[in-house]
Amino acid sequence: MTTLFIADLHLCTEEPAIVAGFLRFLAEEARQADALYILGDLFEAWIGDDDPVVLHRQIAAAINALVDSGVPCYFIHGNRDFLLGKRFARESGMILLPEEKILDLYGRRVLIMHGDTLCTDDAGYQAFRAKVHQPWLQRLFLALPLFIRQRIAARMRANSKAANSTKSLEIMDVNPQAVVDALEKHHVQWLIHGHTHRPAVHECVANGQPAFRVVLGAWHSEGSMVKVTRGDVELIHFPF
């Protein structure tokens, strides 16, 4: 019995090695799992389910093949692909989850999320996040012609890259109290998330008991996954 978690692949046509690694992962490791959870930033950018990029169709078909093989796939939106919608979910067979979800995994209560909401020290990002998650603004953006959305997205990525270059690593990491607050809010001792690109297993105290935060790595030069079984929770890195 095995459940797999991945995040922060940032798939795009400019990174064919990462795409190939993910397709191999879906065809091999993921086929042996009870379920696959993708915790956000599957894609580098998402400007609407109607974007005709060939890569999107390729990935949807590969995920759908995994689902058809009997392995359900679940998705939590990231900060890069928060506009991924029901149309792509239907095409890929993925089940969309809320931004925070509690799982009962082989006797463990596990909280899963993308992780960006834990970075509360980055006030600028949190303000931006609150703005772009307003439903009316998302509807307005998705109603724009595709070429305008592409320009806006390119400008936003450039602005984000420039802003992040001036921020300290500490500001862009999770806030320890935010982690404890999330664990205690949901009465769990395990948290799995991505976003920060700092793979590690951290121990803290929540609800008066030892608690664990497992951070997924980004798929830059190798793959990263968390493997949960009845007996263990492992953070695993593997070549593409």
Side-chain angles (χ1 to χ4, degrees):
M1 303 178 73
T2 301
T3 301
L4 301 180
F5 299 84
I6 59 175
D8 300 297
L9 285 76
H10 296 271
L11 298 177
C12 60
T13 55
E14 293 78 16
E15 295 288 352
I18 299 176
V19 173
F22 180 54
L23 293 175
R24 184 201 59 77
F25 169 80
L26 291 176
E28 297 179 11
E29 286 96 341
R31 292 291 179 102
Q32 311 306 314
D34 294 321
L36 172 65
Y37 289 81
I38 303 174
L39 305 187
D41 286 2
L42 174 61
F43 295 97
E44 172 66 10
W46 195 268
I47 60 173
D49 290 8
D50 59 335
D51 190 347
V53 174
V54 173
L55 172 64
H56 298 172
R57 309 284 75 76
Q58 182 183 22
I59 297 302
I63 294 174
N64 191 256
L66 174 69
V67 173
D68 283 347
S69 75
V71 181
C73 182
Y74 303 89
F75 180 80
I76 290 180
H77 294 92
N79 57 295
R80 296 280 186 169
D81 48 20
F82 62 89
L83 289 175
L84 190 149
K86 295 179 180 178
R87 174 175 165 181
F88 184 82
R90 287 193 299 269
E91 183 181 356
S92 63
M94 292 194 307
I95 298 172
L96 302 181
L97 298 178
E99 63 181 35
E100 295 183 357
K101 178 70 175 178
I102 304 297
L103 305 177
D104 186 354
L105 295 178
Y106 320 118
R108 299 182 189 87
R109 277 174 53 84
V110 180
L111 170 63
I112 60 173
M113 61 175 67
H114 178 56
D116 57 334
T117 55
L118 300 173
C119 301
T120 55
D121 293 330
D122 192 345
Y125 169 73
Q126 293 301 331
F128 169 79
R129 187 185 190 280
K131 181 184 299 183
V132 299
H133 276 73
Q134 296 181 73
W136 70 267
L137 186 59
Q138 293 182 3
R139 289 194 297 269
L140 177 62
F141 176 81
L142 292 173
L144 294 171
L146 187 64
F147 76 95
I148 295 180
R149 280 180 271 156
Q150 290 170 334
R151 292 178 183 176
I152 294 174
R155 188 180 309 119
M156 290 173 63
R157 286 197 299 273
N159 291 342
S160 175
K161 185 175 181 180
N164 288 343
S165 68
T166 64
K167 296 177 182 177
S168 69
L169 295 178
E170 289 73 20
I171 286 178
M172 292 190 292
D173 203 355
V174 302
N175 176 280
Q177 188 58 50
V179 171
V180 173
D181 290 345
L183 290 165
E184 294 186 340
K185 171 187 174 183
H186 295 287
H187 304 285
V188 298
Q189 262 58 58
W190 286 92
L191 167 61
I192 300 175
H193 72 84
H195 181 66
T196 63
H197 300 188
R198 299 181 184 186
V201 179
H202 303 272
E203 187 171 356
C204 63
V205 175
N207 300 303
Q209 301 179 45
F212 303 89
R213 177 171 66 94
V214 188
V215 187
L216 285 155
W219 289 42
H220 291 318
S221 57
E222 61 181 357
S224 175
M225 68 177 175
V226 168
K227 180 179 180 180
V228 179
T229 61
R230 186 173 297 278
D232 203 3
V233 179
E234 301 175 86
L235 175 60
I236 300 172
H237 302 283
F238 54 92
F240 292 146

